[in-house]
């Protein structure tokens, strides 16, 4: 049934879908393909855009990665089948400068970066969003599993209905201005099975395509191999020492280790297991200690993006839930602002393996709303 011009359409605009232009960010996977097909079927003026982030997979990409090679062809096939225009934009240099180079440098500095967040922040939700505006689009839609809901003071960011697919950890840096322009049509679905059922309904060639895994430009999850390729000489050997500085063994490069790691240290024969508790790239030392040394209560956070209603530094403290790893559930914490973009986060229950370079995402207690987040830096303090 045709929508009345005065009634909002499914994307929240007071005009018919045919008069609503939507740029869909298409990675070539099933999620973004379903979004594009669904909106096209509803009658929207859909324009598909795919970013080529590296040289068709020849440089660093692996089979099954997004935004290269076969995935570009898959996105094009979906557009042809559903009858809407599709464009491929070469963002290779931008992606390398904004995401890959920082990833390598962060690892060399002993941090544990999350490049998927930087990609959303600096490429997809910045430059691609700008391209969508240049195309006179009313909004940009993506296949992310997250929800945009209207609140008393405007659009709010909420977790996906399916907790197993929720991508809020990777989207905390979405700004209010960006959120006003973005749409996430899959966020309300109860499971990925529903998405694949929709793909089958639309007859999409990607209906059974496997999900991409890990970081798109890291083959087989081998971070060290990529960093060595990007930064020759990065894997210089060094010493493994205990908290008192006693040498326990040698390692094959700091980039091969992460905070909290236990296996693969090569220092067997000890009475109690030891874990990586600190990385010191300047001295090329891997510092190990007992498990209790990993317990962290105070976490310094900067580059905070705040999505709450009141100004972030309008209060002395905020009682929230925080997530410091994508695989861990949010836990209660107190956030004490130091400025509009920096804070000290006190975890009410200490977490293990907190590392600089990870994200700290803030959630409203007892609800699904994302209040923003920031980046962990320096050394976090033990409990």
């Amino acid at each position: 049934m045709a929508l009345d011009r005065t009634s909002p359409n499914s994307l929240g605009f007071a005009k018919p879908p045919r008069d609503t232009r939507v740029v869909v960010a298409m990675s070539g996977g099933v999620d973004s393909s379903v979004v594009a097909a669904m909106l096209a079927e509803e009658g929207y003026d859909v324009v598909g855009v795919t970013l080529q982030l590296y040289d068709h997979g020849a440089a660093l990409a692996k089979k099954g990665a997004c935004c290269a090679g076969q995935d570009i062809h898959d996105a094009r096939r979906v557009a042809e089948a559903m009858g809407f225009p599709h464009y491929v934009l070469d963002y290779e240099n931008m992606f390398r400068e904004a995401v890959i180079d920082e990833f390598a440098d962060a690892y060399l500095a002993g941090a544990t970066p999350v490049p998927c967040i930087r990609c959303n922040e600096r490429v997809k939700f910045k430059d691609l969003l700008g391209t969508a505006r240049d195309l006179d689009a009313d909004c940009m839609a993506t296949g992310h599993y997250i929800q945009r809901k209207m609140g008393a003071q405007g659009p709010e960011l909420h977790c996906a209905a399916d907790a197993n697919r929720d991508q809020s950890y990777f989207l905390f840096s979405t700004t209010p201005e960006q959120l006003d322009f973005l749409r996430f049509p899959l966020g309300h679905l109860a499971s990925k099975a529903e998405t694949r059922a929709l793909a089958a309904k639309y007859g999409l060639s990607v209906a059974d395509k496997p999900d991409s895994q890990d970081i798109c430009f890291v083959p087989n999850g081998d971070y060290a191999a990529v960093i060595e390729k990007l930064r020759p000489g990065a894997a210089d050997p060094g010493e493994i020492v205990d908290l008192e500085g006693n040498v326990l063994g040698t390692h094959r490069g700091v980039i091969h280790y992460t905070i909290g790691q236990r296996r693969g240290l090569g220092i067997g024969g000890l009475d109690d297991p030891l874990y990586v508790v600190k990385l010191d790239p300047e001295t090329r030392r891997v510092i190990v200690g007992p498990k209790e040394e990993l317990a962290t209560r105070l976490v310094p956070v900067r580059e905070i993006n705040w999505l709450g209603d009141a100004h972030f530094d309008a209060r002395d403290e905020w009682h929230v839930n925080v997530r410091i790893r994508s695989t861990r559930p949010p836990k209660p914490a107190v956030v004490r602002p130091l400025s509009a973009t920096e804070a000290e986060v006190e975890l009410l229950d200490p977490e293990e393996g907190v590392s600089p370079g990870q994200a700290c995402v803030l959630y409203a207690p007892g609800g699904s709303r994302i209040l923003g987040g920031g980046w962990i830096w320096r050394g976090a303090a033990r409990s």
Side-chain angles (χ1 to χ4, degrees):
M1 183 175 68
L3 291 175
D4 185 88
R5 283 185 175 274
T6 61
S7 300
N9 57 33
S10 64
L11 296 178
F13 297 99
K15 55 184 176 179
R18 66 177 179 274
D19 297 331
T20 306
R21 175 166 291 178
V22 185
V23 165
V24 179
M26 300 182 68
S27 67
V30 63
D31 299 324
S32 58
S33 296
V34 165
V35 168
M38 179 169 58
L39 295 177
E41 187 187 63
E42 290 179 21
Y44 286 96
D45 179 9
V46 172
V47 178
V49 176
T50 299
L51 304 182
Q52 178 188 312
L53 298 183
Y54 24 77
D55 187 18
H56 294 286
L60 293 171
K62 65 180 185 299
K63 184 178 181 181
C66 68
C67 307
Q70 183 61 43
D71 298 290
I72 293 175
H73 297 300
D74 289 341
R76 184 178 293 118
R77 289 171 64 192
V78 169
E80 290 175 351
M82 298 303 298
F84 59 81
H86 175 258
Y87 302 97
V88 179
L89 306 181
D90 183 356
Y91 274 42
E92 184 177 349
N93 289 337
M94 182 182 298
F95 184 69
R96 186 179 185 110
E97 293 171 3
V99 180
I100 296 180
D101 283 345
E102 184 187 70
F103 169 83
D105 292 339
Y107 253 101
L108 290 177
T112 306
V114 191
C116 297
I117 298 176
R118 289 302 196 193
C119 181
N120 290 324
E121 174 188 333
R122 297 176 174 178
V123 180
K124 294 177 181 176
F125 288 1
K126 183 180 179 183
D127 293 280
L128 178 55
L129 192 146
T131 297
R133 293 186 187 278
D134 292 340
L135 291 171
D136 293 325
D138 292 283
C139 63
M140 186 173 87
T142 79
H144 289 105
Y145 287 87
I146 198 164
Q147 298 187 81
R148 175 188 183 273
K149 297 182 179 182
M150 291 303 298
Q153 297 192 34
E156 299 175 352
L157 201 60
H158 287 255
C159 295
D162 180 4
N164 293 323
R165 306 296 302 181
D166 176 61
Q167 293 177 289
S168 59
Y169 183 85
F170 301 98
L171 297 171
F172 78 84
S173 60
T174 304
T175 67
E177 181 184 23
Q178 292 167 345
L179 188 57
D180 189 55
F181 193 70
L182 289 164
R183 300 294 187 276
F184 308 106
L186 301 185
H188 69 285
L189 298 183
S191 70
K192 182 60 177 272
E194 289 190 41
T195 305
R196 293 198 180 277
L198 286 170
K201 170 188 171 184
Y202 300 132
L204 303 183
S205 57
V206 296
D208 297 320
K209 185 175 182 178
D211 293 337
S212 58
Q213 301 293 328
D214 299 319
I215 298 171
C216 61
F217 58 87
V218 180
N220 305 314
D222 191 348
Y223 305 100
V226 171
I227 296 167
E228 287 185 75
K229 187 172 184 178
L230 292 168
R231 302 288 188 270
D236 291 337
E239 298 174 333
I240 299 176
V241 302
D242 63 18
L243 295 171
E244 284 72 44
N246 301 308
V247 177
L248 304 179
T250 59
H251 64 75
R252 54 195 180 95
V254 172
I255 61 173
H256 291 278
Y257 301 87
T258 58
I259 303 297
Q261 181 176 334
R262 174 186 172 187
R263 299 182 182 278
L265 299 179
I267 50 173
L270 302 174
D271 293 335
D272 298 309
L274 295 177
Y275 299 78
V276 176
V277 298
K278 185 180 179 182
L279 300 172
D280 190 342
E282 292 187 7
T283 62
R284 299 202 305 276
R285 280 186 158 188
V286 173
I287 297 94
V288 296
K291 188 175 184 179
E292 53 265 27
E293 289 292 330
L294 293 171
T296 300
R297 183 179 293 276
L298 298 179
V299 182
V301 179
R302 61 183 178 182
E303 292 184 60
I304 290 173
N305 176 59
W306 180 247
L307 296 172
D309 294 333
H311 289 294
F312 177 64
D313 52 357
R315 298 185 190 177
D316 293 331
E317 61 183 36
W318 296 86
H319 291 261
V320 301
N321 290 337
V322 304
R323 174 180 282 161
I324 59 168
R325 284 189 180 176
S326 63
T327 56
R328 295 183 180 177
K331 299 286 186 66
V334 178
V335 179
R336 299 184 178 91
L338 301 176
S339 70
T341 58
E342 292 190 51
E344 177 186 75
V345 176
E346 180 180 356
L347 306 173
L348 300 191
D349 293 315
E351 289 266 8
E352 294 180 353
V354 178
S355 172
Q358 294 173 330
C360 178
V361 183
L362 315 178
Y363 300 82
S368 64
R369 186 179 180 184
I370 298 103
L371 296 176
W375 296 94
I376 300 170
W377 65 296
R378 297 186 321 210
R382 287 185 58 207
S383 58

